[in-house]
Amino acid sequence: MNSDYRDKNSRKKQSLLSSFYFAFIGVFTALKAERNLKIHFVMAVLVIFFGIIFELTKTEWLLVSFAIAGMIALELMNTAIERVVDLVTTEQHPLAKQAKDIAAGAVLIFAVLTVIIGLSIFLPKIF
């Protein structure tokens, strides 16, 4: 077997592992620094706890899982956009404000959807 092939293959594996490593670092960095992400994380833990208590069905777990993962992923994207905007400009620029507000709006819309999903799953189990 060609040693160039092995070198490229091992670099790809190292690159893939590095990608996962840096992604986890990004999540933990944001979790330490971002208040809203901490709130979403605590809410996710509570939802999982109550999901276990109320014995959610597979379909309900699927919906809850998508809601939790989507919310956290979207909050991470919002954080990334905010950081990039802050990196690019320190002045008050209307487009910088719009970029941050639009990203926050996306988070808000998904947060409303997750509340609707949560209420539709958990309220019938409570009442």
Side-chain angles (χ1 to χ4, degrees):
M1 184 177 278
N2 187 335
S3 67
D4 287 341
Y5 174 78
R6 276 184 280 170
D7 290 343
K8 287 179 184 178
N9 204 19
S10 68
R11 277 192 299 248
K12 284 182 183 179
K13 286 181 183 176
Q14 183 179 13
S15 177
L16 181 62
L17 290 175
S18 295
S19 296
F20 280 107
Y21 172 76
F22 292 128
F24 281 112
I25 292 297
V27 171
F28 291 121
T29 298
L31 192 55
K32 285 192 287 188
E34 295 297 317
R35 181 195 70 215
N36 289 346
L37 191 58
K38 290 176 187 174
I39 292 168
H40 292 305
F41 185 78
V42 168
M43 294 305 292
V45 170
L46 287 172
V47 167
I48 291 168
F49 172 76
F50 284 112
I52 293 167
I53 297 297
F54 288 115
E55 299 178 349
L56 297 184
T57 66
K58 286 182 184 180
T59 303
E60 291 168 336
W61 274 118
L62 185 63
L63 289 169
V64 165
S65 297
F66 271 105
I68 289 170
M71 191 72 253
I72 290 172
L74 201 52
E75 188 63 54
L76 288 168
M77 288 303 299
N78 180 48
T79 298
I81 289 169
E82 288 178 356
R83 300 268 173 94
V84 169
V85 168
D86 291 345
L87 180 65
V88 171
T89 182
T90 57
E91 64 184 60
Q92 296 282 338
H93 193 283
L95 290 177
K97 181 182 182 332
Q98 287 178 15
K100 288 182 170 187
D101 291 349
I102 291 167
V107 172
L108 175 65
I109 288 170
F110 199 82
V112 170
L113 175 63
T114 62
V115 168
I116 292 168
I117 290 170
L119 291 174
S120 68
I121 290 172
F122 287 101
L123 278 182
K125 295 181 180 304
I126 295 170
F127 297 109

